[in-house]
């Protein structure tokens, strides 16, 4: 398809609660041309991530707030189409922060070359990208699993959660997943090899934890926050590691949520709770990607994507699917070829 415009989704207003259509603008800009040191990438797949909701707030965080009228920040994979940067040549496949737009102009600093003979584009946003790397950093670097540990994961059927469960299995742990609905819970066991699952939409969480973690929890990998975190803290073992990866249940909250009352168990059980951001481990990504690729090739890790097909204008509705729980695997958009 010949392109003569760069279609972009820009932030129009800061959302209150769930983002609305009026929080976005669809803009048609000219296709960029690279200046000295610059690269233009044609985006092929756009990653749709829960963290995007936080980037839309005017709040200090691990990345600056997205300015009003800026192109929505997003991880992307695509092809270099023109370059005045000696490190990148037209035709090369790259992953980067290309944003919700057809073409991305940049200085190349955020770009990583990707090997499409090792895995196709979507896998570089999934097992070999944000999902696999986040699970790897959070579980192995922060959680420090030991053989035989009980690892509890929330958001377990999602892209990060399913990788956490599968990597924990590789490391000889017992895995318990929390997910919404019987279909996702069956999938955790049949597809991702979890030992047990809790359907938090249909079972009392404390009862479910008693049933599935009779000997307590050694690692809790938290993607959800709120009541789920509190219920897990109530059952941690001595020396447990509580890995704070995300808190999706709170991302659209209109008031500051209160902390988990059961936090005091960290004291009595001599445990720790630690947050992390996966891109702080960027130096280690190549080694992590090597392990992840091997586990994927051996079948120890299964990769599941949920690919929405369409132009950038489907982004606002696609993002909302994460908060309704109706994605199955790593959510992304495949732009028209
Ligand atoms: N720290 C880092 O570096 C880092 C990097 C990437 C992602 N993350 C975090 O990792 C978490 C998972 O991200 P992901 O990309 O893998 O998304 P995902 O799990 O593939 O999709 C989000 C899932 O969250 C669940 N969910 C939505 N609202 C919920 C609620 N109110 N209560 C409980 N569960 C809810 C839904 O599953 P159910 O149907 O099971 O409810 C939904 O499918 C997020 O918190 C994200 O912010 C952190």
């Amino acid at each position: 398809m010949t392109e003569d415009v760069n279609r972009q989704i820009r932030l129009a207003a800061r959302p209150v609660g769930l983002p609305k259509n009026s929080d976005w603008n669809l803009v048609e800009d000219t296709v960029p041309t690279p200046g000295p040191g610059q690269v233009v990438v044609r985006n092929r797949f756009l990653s749709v991530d829960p963290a995007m909701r936080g980037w839309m707030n005017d709040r200090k965080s691990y990345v600056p707030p997205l300015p009003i009228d800026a192109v929505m920040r997003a991880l992307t994979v695509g092809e270099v189409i023109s370059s005045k940067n000696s490190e990148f040549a037209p035709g090369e496949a790259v992953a980067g922060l290309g944003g919700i737009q057809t073409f991305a102009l940049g200085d190349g600093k955020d770009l990583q070359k990707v090997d499409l003979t090792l895995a196709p584009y979507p896998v570089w946003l999934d097992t070999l990208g944000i999902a696999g790397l986040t699970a790897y950093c959070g579980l192995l670097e922060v959680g420090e699993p030991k053989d035989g540990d009980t690892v509890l994961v929330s958001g377990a059927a999602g892209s990060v959660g399913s990788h956490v469960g599968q990597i924990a299995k590789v490391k000889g742990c017992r895995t318990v997943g929390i997910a919404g609905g019987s279909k996702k819970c069956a999938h955790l066991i049949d597809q991702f090899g979890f030992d047990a699952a809790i359907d938090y939409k249909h079972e009392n969480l404390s009862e479910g934890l008693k049933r599935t973690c009779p000997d307590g929890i050694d690692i809790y990998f938290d993607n959800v926050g709120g009541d789920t975190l509190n219920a897990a803290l109530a059952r941690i073992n001595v020396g447990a590691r509580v890995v704070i990866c995300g808190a999706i249940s709170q991302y659209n909250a209109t008031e500051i949520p209160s902390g988990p009352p059961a936090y005091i168990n960290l004291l009595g059980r001599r445990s720790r709770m630690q947050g992390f951001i996966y891109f702080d481990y960027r130096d280690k990504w190549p080694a992590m990607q090597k392990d992840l690729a091997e586990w994927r090739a051996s079948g120890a890790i299964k990769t599941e994507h949920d690919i929405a097909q369409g132009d950038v204008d489907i982004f606002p509705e696609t993002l909302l699917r994460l908060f309704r729980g109706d994605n199955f695997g790593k959510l992304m958009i495949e732009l028209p070829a």
Side-chain angles (χ1 to χ4, degrees), residues 91-103:
E92 284 182 323
V94 289
L97 267 171
I100 304 293
Q101 57 185 339
T102 331
F103 297 97

Side-chain angles (χ1 to χ4, degrees), residues 126 157-160 162 184 192 303-307 322 327-332:
D126 194 344
S159 64
V160 173
S162 60
K184 284 192 179 180
F192 297 130
T303 302
E304 279 191 1
H305 337 293
D306 188 330
I307 302 180
L322 289 170
N327 64 307
F328 227 98
K330 175 75 195 96
L331 190 59
M332 59 186 92

